[in-house]
Amino acid sequence: VSDRTDHGAALALGSGDLPVWYRDTEGVDPQDLDRALATLDPGERARAERFRFPVDRRDYVLAHDLLRRSLSRYAPLAPEQWVFDREPTGRPVLRVAPGVPGGAEMAVSLSHTRGAVACAVARATWLGVDVERVHPSIDIAEVSRLAFSSDEVAALEDLDAGDRLGRFVELWTLKEAYAKATGLGLSADLPAVTFTLDPRGALELSERTRADTSSPTSWQLALFAPAPELRLAVCVRVAGVEPWRIVARDHGAPERVLLPIRVSHPLPDAEGAQPRAR
Ligand SMILES: CC(C)(COP(=O)(O)OP(=O)(O)OC[C@H]1O[C@@H](n2cnc3c(N)ncnc32)[C@H](O)[C@@H]1OP(=O)(O)O)[C@@H](O)C(=O)NCCC(=O)NCCS
């Protein structure tokens, strides 16, 4: 997998493929940042200008650039040619791109945190990705009170103090990915959703409020640790019998497939996860 200059799509995006791209944004050089800025549309550039801190502006620009470049890996359009709309909730949607087969069917999601960005694309309807940093200054009690279920709070309290922060960030990242996958964002009823992370590496989601989706098989989840202090979660609505082929890669080392630390459904092994050239 490599960035191309001819913008011909080199990879096939099958109906069950769900590629996730991650990028470490620390130390990105100014030329790279300028190149990324050039792929953004005027609205994105105007939003980028409004960030108070240059690092937040950098991460915003690189997240939107990463999404554009990711889409261009799978469809014959240059990164700057993709057109997005934004729903009132904030959810980004790809606008119909004339002449791009399947372009408009793609669901997209992106995330930025200090020093890291991520995105996911798929021929899915409900898709969310989130990346967060494990930071000791996080107020675990406050966020748990607002966004965690009582079962999640109890599970956190059962952990040794040394394990609590990491687990908290895993839950938080999953919740954000879920909030984006539903499209509800900030208005999602997060305490009504319980993620269960068992010691054997399994991962489950149960929703209290929606009878139609109470089965944990309705959503497929995968959790990655692209770096020791980062967690990346993907949440996608299960569409058929086969699980989504979620394959996460590092933009800086595209041949490297990131191994998940937890999954709700089996993922392809590293061999099967290789990109399929057309
Ligand atoms: C906006 C929200 C969806 C995620 O925000 P976040 O994790 O702070 O920020 P991220 O960088 O990961 O994601 C922001 C991106 O999500 C996307 N997004 C925003 N609203 C969205 C929605 N309703 N649905 C899907 N995607 C959405 C956008 O692409 C946005 O980036 P952009 O503005 O640059 O286009 C929302 O859930 C939020 O702000 N949550 C924080 C509140 C909270 O209680 N957190 C604790 C949860 S445990």
Side-chain angles (χ1 to χ4, degrees), residues 69-98:
R69 285 180 197 279
S70 302
L71 286 165
S72 292
R73 292 177 187 273
Y74 309 102
L77 218 63
E80 60 275 18
Q81 290 178 297
W82 296 100
V83 180
F84 300 95
D85 290 322
R86 179 174 286 274
E87 290 178 348
T89 56
R91 192 224 282 278
V93 285
L94 202 54
R95 197 187 288 175
V96 178

PDB file of all heavy atoms in Angstrom, residues 69-98:
ATOM      1  N   ARG A  69      -7.277  10.819   1.881  1.00  0.00           N
ATOM      2  CA  ARG A  69      -6.304   9.903   1.255  1.00  0.00           C
ATOM      3  C   ARG A  69      -6.779   8.449   1.340  1.00  0.00           C
ATOM      4  O   ARG A  69      -6.543   7.667   0.422  1.00  0.00           O
ATOM      5  CB  ARG A  69      -4.939  10.010   1.947  1.00  0.00           C
ATOM      6  CG  ARG A  69      -4.206  11.256   1.580  1.00  0.00           C
ATOM      7  CD  ARG A  69      -2.853  11.358   2.273  1.00  0.00           C
ATOM      8  NE  ARG A  69      -2.413  12.728   2.194  1.00  0.00           N
ATOM      9  CZ  ARG A  69      -1.829  13.258   1.126  1.00  0.00           C
ATOM     10  NH1 ARG A  69      -1.564  12.512   0.076  1.00  0.00           N
ATOM     11  NH2 ARG A  69      -1.484  14.531   1.110  1.00  0.00           N
ATOM     12  N   SER A  70      -7.405   8.110   2.455  1.00  0.00           N
ATOM     13  CA  SER A  70      -7.886   6.731   2.607  1.00  0.00           C
ATOM     14  C   SER A  70      -8.939   6.425   1.555  1.00  0.00           C
ATOM     15  O   SER A  70      -8.893   5.386   0.906  1.00  0.00           O
ATOM     16  CB  SER A  70      -8.463   6.522   4.007  1.00  0.00           C
ATOM     17  OG  SER A  70      -7.490   6.813   4.965  1.00  0.00           O
ATOM     18  N   LEU A  71      -9.891   7.343   1.370  1.00  0.00           N
ATOM     19  CA  LEU A  71     -10.924   7.125   0.349  1.00  0.00           C
ATOM     20  C   LEU A  71     -10.302   6.971  -1.028  1.00  0.00           C
ATOM     21  O   LEU A  71     -10.730   6.137  -1.830  1.00  0.00           O
ATOM     22  CB  LEU A  71     -11.906   8.301   0.364  1.00  0.00           C
ATOM     23  CG  LEU A  71     -12.881   8.321   1.541  1.00  0.00           C
ATOM     24  CD1 LEU A  71     -13.545   9.698   1.653  1.00  0.00           C
ATOM     25  CD2 LEU A  71     -13.947   7.242   1.369  1.00  0.00           C
ATOM     26  N   SER A  72      -9.267   7.751  -1.288  1.00  0.00           N
ATOM     27  CA  SER A  72      -8.648   7.721  -2.621  1.00  0.00           C
ATOM     28  C   SER A  72      -7.862   6.433  -2.876  1.00  0.00           C
ATOM     29  O   SER A  72      -7.516   6.144  -4.014  1.00  0.00           O
ATOM     30  CB  SER A  72      -7.737   8.941  -2.809  1.00  0.00           C
ATOM     31  OG  SER A  72      -8.535  10.097  -2.872  1.00  0.00           O
ATOM     32  N   ARG A  73      -7.602   5.676  -1.826  1.00  0.00           N
ATOM     33  CA  ARG A  73      -6.974   4.370  -2.039  1.00  0.00           C
ATOM     34  C   ARG A  73      -7.940   3.398  -2.704  1.00  0.00           C
ATOM     35  O   ARG A  73      -7.532   2.423  -3.295  1.00  0.00           O
ATOM     36  CB  ARG A  73      -6.535   3.751  -0.701  1.00  0.00           C
ATOM     37  CG  ARG A  73      -5.399   4.476  -0.023  1.00  0.00           C
ATOM     38  CD  ARG A  73      -5.123   3.817   1.312  1.00  0.00           C
ATOM     39  NE  ARG A  73      -4.165   4.552   2.098  1.00  0.00           N
ATOM     40  CZ  ARG A  73      -2.842   4.413   2.024  1.00  0.00           C
ATOM     41  NH1 ARG A  73      -2.328   3.561   1.169  1.00  0.00           N
ATOM     42  NH2 ARG A  73      -2.049   5.112   2.795  1.00  0.00           N
ATOM     43  N   TYR A  74      -9.241   3.630  -2.508  1.00  0.00           N
ATOM     44  CA  TYR A  74     -10.237   2.644  -2.920  1.00  0.00           C
ATOM     45  C   TYR A  74     -11.152   3.132  -4.040  1.00  0.00           C
ATOM     46  O   TYR A  74     -12.051   2.411  -4.451  1.00  0.00           O
ATOM     47  CB  TYR A  74     -11.077   2.223  -1.705  1.00  0.00           C
ATOM     48  CG  TYR A  74     -10.216   1.822  -0.530  1.00  0.00           C
ATOM     49  CD1 TYR A  74     -10.016   2.676   0.537  1.00  0.00           C
ATOM     50  CD2 TYR A  74      -9.558   0.594  -0.535  1.00  0.00           C
ATOM     51  CE1 TYR A  74      -9.190   2.320   1.597  1.00  0.00           C
ATOM     52  CE2 TYR A  74      -8.734   0.228   0.511  1.00  0.00           C
ATOM     53  CZ  TYR A  74      -8.551   1.106   1.574  1.00  0.00           C
ATOM     54  OH  TYR A  74      -7.725   0.754   2.616  1.00  0.00           O
ATOM     55  N   ALA A  75     -10.994   4.354  -4.469  1.00  0.00           N
ATOM     56  CA  ALA A  75     -11.848   4.879  -5.545  1.00  0.00           C
ATOM     57  C   ALA A  75     -11.031   5.888  -6.350  1.00  0.00           C
ATOM     58  O   ALA A  75     -10.153   6.558  -5.795  1.00  0.00           O
ATOM     59  CB  ALA A  75     -13.092   5.540  -4.949  1.00  0.00           C
ATOM     60  N   PRO A  76     -11.311   5.999  -7.634  1.00  0.00           N
ATOM     61  CA  PRO A  76     -10.453   6.809  -8.500  1.00  0.00           C
ATOM     62  C   PRO A  76     -10.739   8.304  -8.416  1.00  0.00           C
ATOM     63  O   PRO A  76     -11.163   8.922  -9.379  1.00  0.00           O
ATOM     64  CB  PRO A  76     -10.772   6.252  -9.899  1.00  0.00           C
ATOM     65  CG  PRO A  76     -12.184   5.787  -9.787  1.00  0.00           C
ATOM     66  CD  PRO A  76     -12.380   5.325  -8.380  1.00  0.00           C
ATOM     67  N   LEU A  77     -10.524   8.867  -7.272  1.00  0.00           N
ATOM     68  CA  LEU A  77     -10.714  10.306  -7.084  1.00  0.00           C
ATOM     69  C   LEU A  77      -9.531  10.810  -6.255  1.00  0.00           C
ATOM     70  O   LEU A  77      -9.085  10.117  -5.334  1.00  0.00           O
ATOM     71  CB  LEU A  77     -12.031  10.525  -6.319  1.00  0.00           C
ATOM     72  CG  LEU A  77     -12.898  11.707  -6.717  1.00  0.00           C
ATOM     73  CD1 LEU A  77     -13.384  11.568  -8.153  1.00  0.00           C
ATOM     74  CD2 LEU A  77     -14.101  11.825  -5.793  1.00  0.00           C
ATOM     75  N   ALA A  78      -9.044  11.988  -6.574  1.00  0.00           N
ATOM     76  CA  ALA A  78      -7.919  12.555  -5.818  1.00  0.00           C
ATOM     77  C   ALA A  78      -8.410  12.991  -4.431  1.00  0.00           C
ATOM     78  O   ALA A  78      -9.592  13.327  -4.273  1.00  0.00           O
ATOM     79  CB  ALA A  78      -7.347  13.747  -6.565  1.00  0.00           C
ATOM     80  N   PRO A  79      -7.523  12.995  -3.431  1.00  0.00           N
ATOM     81  CA  PRO A  79      -7.961  13.343  -2.066  1.00  0.00           C
ATOM     82  C   PRO A  79      -8.724  14.659  -1.979  1.00  0.00           C
ATOM     83  O   PRO A  79      -9.698  14.771  -1.235  1.00  0.00           O
ATOM     84  CB  PRO A  79      -6.633  13.418  -1.291  1.00  0.00           C
ATOM     85  CG  PRO A  79      -5.728  12.482  -2.023  1.00  0.00           C
ATOM     86  CD  PRO A  79      -6.109  12.595  -3.481  1.00  0.00           C
ATOM     87  N   GLU A  80      -8.333  15.655  -2.770  1.00  0.00           N
ATOM     88  CA  GLU A  80      -8.995  16.966  -2.665  1.00  0.00           C
ATOM     89  C   GLU A  80     -10.355  16.983  -3.349  1.00  0.00           C
ATOM     90  O   GLU A  80     -11.108  17.946  -3.218  1.00  0.00           O
ATOM     91  CB  GLU A  80      -8.100  18.078  -3.224  1.00  0.00           C
ATOM     92  CG  GLU A  80      -7.720  17.945  -4.684  1.00  0.00           C
ATOM     93  CD  GLU A  80      -6.493  17.059  -4.924  1.00  0.00           C
ATOM     94  OE1 GLU A  80      -6.120  16.274  -4.016  1.00  0.00           O
ATOM     95  OE2 GLU A  80      -5.948  17.137  -6.037  1.00  0.00           O
ATOM     96  N   GLN A  81     -10.698  15.912  -4.083  1.00  0.00           N
ATOM     97  CA  GLN A  81     -11.960  15.923  -4.827  1.00  0.00           C
ATOM     98  C   GLN A  81     -13.162  15.404  -4.041  1.00  0.00           C
ATOM     99  O   GLN A  81     -14.293  15.574  -4.472  1.00  0.00           O
ATOM    100  CB  GLN A  81     -11.807  15.099  -6.117  1.00  0.00           C
ATOM    101  CG  GLN A  81     -10.909  15.767  -7.134  1.00  0.00           C
ATOM    102  CD  GLN A  81     -10.736  14.902  -8.370  1.00  0.00           C
ATOM    103  OE1 GLN A  81     -10.192  13.799  -8.309  1.00  0.00           O
ATOM    104  NE2 GLN A  81     -11.206  15.388  -9.494  1.00  0.00           N
ATOM    105  N   TRP A  82     -12.931  14.783  -2.891  1.00  0.00           N
ATOM    106  CA  TRP A  82     -14.064  14.266  -2.122  1.00  0.00           C
ATOM    107  C   TRP A  82     -14.865  15.413  -1.527  1.00  0.00           C
ATOM    108  O   TRP A  82     -14.283  16.404  -1.065  1.00  0.00           O
ATOM    109  CB  TRP A  82     -13.573  13.339  -1.004  1.00  0.00           C
ATOM    110  CG  TRP A  82     -12.909  12.116  -1.547  1.00  0.00           C
ATOM    111  CD1 TRP A  82     -11.555  11.915  -1.661  1.00  0.00           C
ATOM    112  CD2 TRP A  82     -13.541  10.952  -2.078  1.00  0.00           C
ATOM    113  NE1 TRP A  82     -11.320  10.683  -2.237  1.00  0.00           N
ATOM    114  CE2 TRP A  82     -12.519  10.073  -2.503  1.00  0.00           C
ATOM    115  CE3 TRP A  82     -14.866  10.568  -2.238  1.00  0.00           C
ATOM    116  CZ2 TRP A  82     -12.777   8.832  -3.068  1.00  0.00           C
ATOM    117  CZ3 TRP A  82     -15.142   9.330  -2.808  1.00  0.00           C
ATOM    118  CH2 TRP A  82     -14.095   8.470  -3.215  1.00  0.00           C
ATOM    119  N   VAL A  83     -16.187  15.265  -1.540  1.00  0.00           N
ATOM    120  CA  VAL A  83     -17.058  16.321  -1.012  1.00  0.00           C
ATOM    121  C   VAL A  83     -17.849  15.742   0.164  1.00  0.00           C
ATOM    122  O   VAL A  83     -18.457  14.671   0.037  1.00  0.00           O
ATOM    123  CB  VAL A  83     -18.034  16.834  -2.093  1.00  0.00           C
ATOM    124  CG1 VAL A  83     -18.937  17.928  -1.526  1.00  0.00           C
ATOM    125  CG2 VAL A  83     -17.254  17.362  -3.295  1.00  0.00           C
ATOM    126  N   PHE A  84     -17.827  16.444   1.272  1.00  0.00           N
ATOM    127  CA  PHE A  84     -18.524  15.970   2.473  1.00  0.00           C
ATOM    128  C   PHE A  84     -19.624  16.936   2.871  1.00  0.00           C
ATOM    129  O   PHE A  84     -19.496  18.146   2.697  1.00  0.00           O
ATOM    130  CB  PHE A  84     -17.551  15.853   3.657  1.00  0.00           C
ATOM    131  CG  PHE A  84     -16.429  14.896   3.402  1.00  0.00           C
ATOM    132  CD1 PHE A  84     -15.207  15.355   2.927  1.00  0.00           C
ATOM    133  CD2 PHE A  84     -16.590  13.533   3.598  1.00  0.00           C
ATOM    134  CE1 PHE A  84     -14.168  14.477   2.660  1.00  0.00           C
ATOM    135  CE2 PHE A  84     -15.560  12.649   3.333  1.00  0.00           C
ATOM    136  CZ  PHE A  84     -14.344  13.118   2.863  1.00  0.00           C
ATOM    137  N   ASP A  85     -20.683  16.372   3.438  1.00  0.00           N
ATOM    138  CA  ASP A  85     -21.683  17.183   4.118  1.00  0.00           C
ATOM    139  C   ASP A  85     -21.576  16.862   5.598  1.00  0.00           C
ATOM    140  O   ASP A  85     -20.963  15.861   5.983  1.00  0.00           O
ATOM    141  CB  ASP A  85     -23.099  16.831   3.630  1.00  0.00           C
ATOM    142  CG  ASP A  85     -23.324  17.294   2.205  1.00  0.00           C
ATOM    143  OD1 ASP A  85     -22.825  18.388   1.867  1.00  0.00           O
ATOM    144  OD2 ASP A  85     -23.980  16.563   1.443  1.00  0.00           O
ATOM    145  N   ARG A  86     -22.177  17.702   6.398  1.00  0.00           N
ATOM    146  CA  ARG A  86     -22.159  17.476   7.845  1.00  0.00           C
ATOM    147  C   ARG A  86     -23.603  17.492   8.329  1.00  0.00           C
ATOM    148  O   ARG A  86     -24.311  18.479   8.095  1.00  0.00           O
ATOM    149  CB  ARG A  86     -21.352  18.603   8.497  1.00  0.00           C
ATOM    150  CG  ARG A  86     -21.246  18.545   9.991  1.00  0.00           C
ATOM    151  CD  ARG A  86     -20.298  19.628  10.470  1.00  0.00           C
ATOM    152  NE  ARG A  86     -18.927  19.275  10.183  1.00  0.00           N
ATOM    153  CZ  ARG A  86     -18.161  18.531  10.988  1.00  0.00           C
ATOM    154  NH1 ARG A  86     -18.621  18.097  12.134  1.00  0.00           N
ATOM    155  NH2 ARG A  86     -16.930  18.246  10.664  1.00  0.00           N
ATOM    156  N   GLU A  87     -24.021  16.401   8.962  1.00  0.00           N
ATOM    157  CA  GLU A  87     -25.381  16.390   9.503  1.00  0.00           C
ATOM    158  C   GLU A  87     -25.464  17.343  10.698  1.00  0.00           C
ATOM    159  O   GLU A  87     -24.430  17.672  11.283  1.00  0.00           O
ATOM    160  CB  GLU A  87     -25.748  14.961   9.948  1.00  0.00           C
ATOM    161  CG  GLU A  87     -25.931  14.031   8.760  1.00  0.00           C
ATOM    162  CD  GLU A  87     -26.258  12.599   9.172  1.00  0.00           C
ATOM    163  OE1 GLU A  87     -26.120  12.276  10.372  1.00  0.00           O
ATOM    164  OE2 GLU A  87     -26.643  11.830   8.290  1.00  0.00           O
ATOM    165  N   PRO A  88     -26.678  17.765  11.079  1.00  0.00           N
ATOM    166  CA  PRO A  88     -26.799  18.683  12.224  1.00  0.00           C
ATOM    167  C   PRO A  88     -26.125  18.145  13.493  1.00  0.00           C
ATOM    168  O   PRO A  88     -25.648  18.912  14.327  1.00  0.00           O
ATOM    169  CB  PRO A  88     -28.311  18.813  12.421  1.00  0.00           C
ATOM    170  CG  PRO A  88     -28.900  18.472  11.096  1.00  0.00           C
ATOM    171  CD  PRO A  88     -27.973  17.495  10.441  1.00  0.00           C
ATOM    172  N   THR A  89     -26.077  16.813  13.633  1.00  0.00           N
ATOM    173  CA  THR A  89     -25.436  16.224  14.809  1.00  0.00           C
ATOM    174  C   THR A  89     -23.904  16.296  14.732  1.00  0.00           C
ATOM    175  O   THR A  89     -23.230  15.981  15.705  1.00  0.00           O
ATOM    176  CB  THR A  89     -25.787  14.731  14.919  1.00  0.00           C
ATOM    177  OG1 THR A  89     -25.401  14.097  13.685  1.00  0.00           O
ATOM    178  CG2 THR A  89     -27.251  14.508  15.195  1.00  0.00           C
ATOM    179  N   GLY A  90     -23.377  16.643  13.580  1.00  0.00           N
ATOM    180  CA  GLY A  90     -21.924  16.697  13.426  1.00  0.00           C
ATOM    181  C   GLY A  90     -21.344  15.535  12.633  1.00  0.00           C
ATOM    182  O   GLY A  90     -20.163  15.528  12.290  1.00  0.00           O
ATOM    183  N   ARG A  91     -22.177  14.557  12.328  1.00  0.00           N
ATOM    184  CA  ARG A  91     -21.695  13.383  11.619  1.00  0.00           C
ATOM    185  C   ARG A  91     -21.301  13.745  10.177  1.00  0.00           C
ATOM    186  O   ARG A  91     -22.093  14.338   9.445  1.00  0.00           O
ATOM    187  CB  ARG A  91     -22.808  12.329  11.583  1.00  0.00           C
ATOM    188  CG  ARG A  91     -22.292  10.968  11.132  1.00  0.00           C
ATOM    189  CD  ARG A  91     -23.125  10.252  10.164  1.00  0.00           C
ATOM    190  NE  ARG A  91     -24.308   9.527  10.336  1.00  0.00           N
ATOM    191  CZ  ARG A  91     -24.459   8.264  10.736  1.00  0.00           C
ATOM    192  NH1 ARG A  91     -23.500   7.624  11.259  1.00  0.00           N
ATOM    193  NH2 ARG A  91     -25.588   7.692  10.643  1.00  0.00           N
ATOM    194  N   PRO A  92     -20.081  13.399   9.763  1.00  0.00           N
ATOM    195  CA  PRO A  92     -19.702  13.677   8.380  1.00  0.00           C
ATOM    196  C   PRO A  92     -20.274  12.624   7.438  1.00  0.00           C
ATOM    197  O   PRO A  92     -20.277  11.437   7.767  1.00  0.00           O
ATOM    198  CB  PRO A  92     -18.167  13.591   8.409  1.00  0.00           C
ATOM    199  CG  PRO A  92     -17.849  12.686   9.552  1.00  0.00           C
ATOM    200  CD  PRO A  92     -18.995  12.774  10.527  1.00  0.00           C
ATOM    201  N   VAL A  93     -20.789  13.066   6.314  1.00  0.00           N
ATOM    202  CA  VAL A  93     -21.279  12.112   5.297  1.00  0.00           C
ATOM    203  C   VAL A  93     -20.683  12.485   3.950  1.00  0.00           C
ATOM    204  O   VAL A  93     -20.498  13.660   3.631  1.00  0.00           O
ATOM    205  CB  VAL A  93     -22.828  12.086   5.192  1.00  0.00           C
ATOM    206  CG1 VAL A  93     -23.453  11.360   6.346  1.00  0.00           C
ATOM    207  CG2 VAL A  93     -23.403  13.472   5.069  1.00  0.00           C
ATOM    208  N   LEU A  94     -20.411  11.438   3.205  1.00  0.00           N
ATOM    209  CA  LEU A  94     -19.833  11.623   1.891  1.00  0.00           C
ATOM    210  C   LEU A  94     -20.945  11.993   0.927  1.00  0.00           C
ATOM    211  O   LEU A  94     -21.972  11.329   0.865  1.00  0.00           O
ATOM    212  CB  LEU A  94     -19.214  10.286   1.490  1.00  0.00           C
ATOM    213  CG  LEU A  94     -18.134  10.249   0.454  1.00  0.00           C
ATOM    214  CD1 LEU A  94     -17.001  11.182   0.801  1.00  0.00           C
ATOM    215  CD2 LEU A  94     -17.624   8.807   0.354  1.00  0.00           C
ATOM    216  N   ARG A  95     -20.737  13.076   0.186  1.00  0.00           N
ATOM    217  CA  ARG A  95     -21.759  13.464  -0.776  1.00  0.00           C
ATOM    218  C   ARG A  95     -21.617  12.602  -2.036  1.00  0.00           C
ATOM    219  O   ARG A  95     -20.528  12.113  -2.326  1.00  0.00           O
ATOM    220  CB  ARG A  95     -21.602  14.932  -1.139  1.00  0.00           C
ATOM    221  CG  ARG A  95     -22.844  15.487  -1.779  1.00  0.00           C
ATOM    222  CD  ARG A  95     -22.662  16.872  -2.296  1.00  0.00           C
ATOM    223  NE  ARG A  95     -22.564  17.863  -1.242  1.00  0.00           N
ATOM    224  CZ  ARG A  95     -22.305  19.160  -1.501  1.00  0.00           C
ATOM    225  NH1 ARG A  95     -22.078  19.552  -2.719  1.00  0.00           N
ATOM    226  NH2 ARG A  95     -22.233  20.022  -0.506  1.00  0.00           N
ATOM    227  N   VAL A  96     -22.720  12.435  -2.750  1.00  0.00           N
ATOM    228  CA  VAL A  96     -22.680  11.651  -3.993  1.00  0.00           C
ATOM    229  C   VAL A  96     -21.584  12.221  -4.884  1.00  0.00           C
ATOM    230  O   VAL A  96     -21.529  13.428  -5.129  1.00  0.00           O
ATOM    231  CB  VAL A  96     -24.035  11.735  -4.724  1.00  0.00           C
ATOM    232  CG1 VAL A  96     -23.982  10.974  -6.035  1.00  0.00           C
ATOM    233  CG2 VAL A  96     -25.141  11.214  -3.838  1.00  0.00           C
ATOM    234  N   ALA A  97     -20.702  11.356  -5.309  1.00  0.00           N
ATOM    235  CA  ALA A  97     -19.635  11.793  -6.196  1.00  0.00           C
ATOM    236  C   ALA A  97     -19.934  11.253  -7.587  1.00  0.00           C
ATOM    237  O   ALA A  97     -19.820  10.054  -7.821  1.00  0.00           O
ATOM    238  CB  ALA A  97     -18.296  11.273  -5.688  1.00  0.00           C
ATOM    239  N   PRO A  98     -20.350  12.106  -8.516  1.00  0.00           N
ATOM    240  CA  PRO A  98     -20.728  11.609  -9.828  1.00  0.00           C
ATOM    241  C   PRO A  98     -19.564  10.854 -10.466  1.00  0.00           C
ATOM    242  O   PRO A  98     -18.426  11.293 -10.396  1.00  0.00           O
ATOM    243  CB  PRO A  98     -21.030  12.885 -10.631  1.00  0.00           C
ATOM    244  CG  PRO A  98     -21.090  13.986  -9.647  1.00  0.00           C
ATOM    245  CD  PRO A  98     -20.366  13.565  -8.422  1.00  0.00           C
TER     246      PRO A  98
END
